[in-house]
Amino acid sequence: MHGWDSWIAVGDSFTEGVGDKRDDTAPGGAEEYVGWADRLAEVMADQRPGFQYANLALRGKLLREIIDEQVPIAVAERPDLVTLCGGGNDIITPGTDVDDVGALFDTAVAALRAAGSEVLIFTGPDPKVQPLLRRVRGKVAIYNGHLRAIAERHGAKVVDLWSMGVLHDRRSWCDDRLHFSTEGHRRIALRAAEVLGVPVVEDWREPLPMEQRRPWLQLRQDDITWTTTHLIPWVRRQIRGESLGDGLAPKRPELRPFRADTRV
């Protein structure tokens, strides 16, 4: 058993769980996601009666929005644990200064630690396998350096996504090549559990099965499909200043016991 009684997860699409679609999403309804945080919360609830959990994360959020809208709630509630991941949407935005994003992240961790919560943060993953994200690989590496320094300065825990070899496999990413797949989220939940000292029976290091080599033509067709389905709409949103999270609300906005009817 672990020693956590309450946890608030704050962040963007990564923590909301985008890419890990619920199996019971109603046909024709809005897509609902599980994600690494909900998966880990279920494990923690099984081991700790009365365990409370909230997930305030919302897709498309910039770090400043996370700090203004979500962090104050976590500071006021003072849960045992707060997980914080943000800045990725800032980094992929052209013209963003990574040092400024790092300084902003530092203020959030400082506020959460001052409130008495344990804080768990995540480095950015190595985006080398993805054609869109690999363009900002250097910025992600610099940001990760800031995150590790922030964690050391404030006594926060770190989940190092960059070093997770299973995330270097394309199958750990979903079709939009921006978010993690169900398998990616599952592995990240296991890695976070390890860092937090939450007992689990599976190992995130377990290699993925050997992948069958795909024909060159099929790969190029996949690239075309991705360009029209995901890349062009993303560029349009960037130009218009729109976000995938516009008009949406957090899926678990209040700190409550993780009940059976809210399980993954």
Side-chain angles (χ1 to χ4, degrees), residues 53-66:
Y53 170 63
N55 190 327
L56 310 179
L58 201 59
R59 68 197 78 170
K61 290 295 183 181
L62 298 173
L63 183 57
R64 169 53 70 184
E65 295 174 311
I66 294 170

Side-chain angles (χ1 to χ4, degrees), residues 27-129:
E31 287 190 329
E32 297 180 11
Y33 299 100
V34 183
W36 69 267
D38 285 12
R39 291 178 178 276
L40 178 56
E42 182 169 354
V43 174
M44 296 174 75
D46 283 340
Q47 298 177 12
R48 194 79 170 181
F51 175 77
Q52 294 186 308
Y53 170 63
N55 190 327
L56 310 179
L58 201 59
R59 68 197 78 170
K61 290 295 183 181
L62 298 173
L63 183 57
R64 169 53 70 184
E65 295 174 311
I66 294 170
I67 292 175
D68 289 346
E69 300 168 9
Q70 301 175 29
V71 170
I73 298 174
V75 168
E77 291 285 352
R78 297 173 178 259
D80 291 346
L81 173 67
V82 176
T83 54
L84 171 65
C85 187
N89 291 319
D90 300 75
I91 290 174
I92 64 175
T93 301
T96 301
D97 189 312
V98 182
D99 296 336
D100 291 342
V101 181
L104 192 57
F105 196 96
D106 183 274
T107 65
V109 175
L112 293 166
R113 291 293 287 143
S117 296
E118 188 74 67
V119 177
L120 177 70
I121 67 174
F122 298 76
T123 69
D126 186 348
K128 185 178 180 179
V129 298

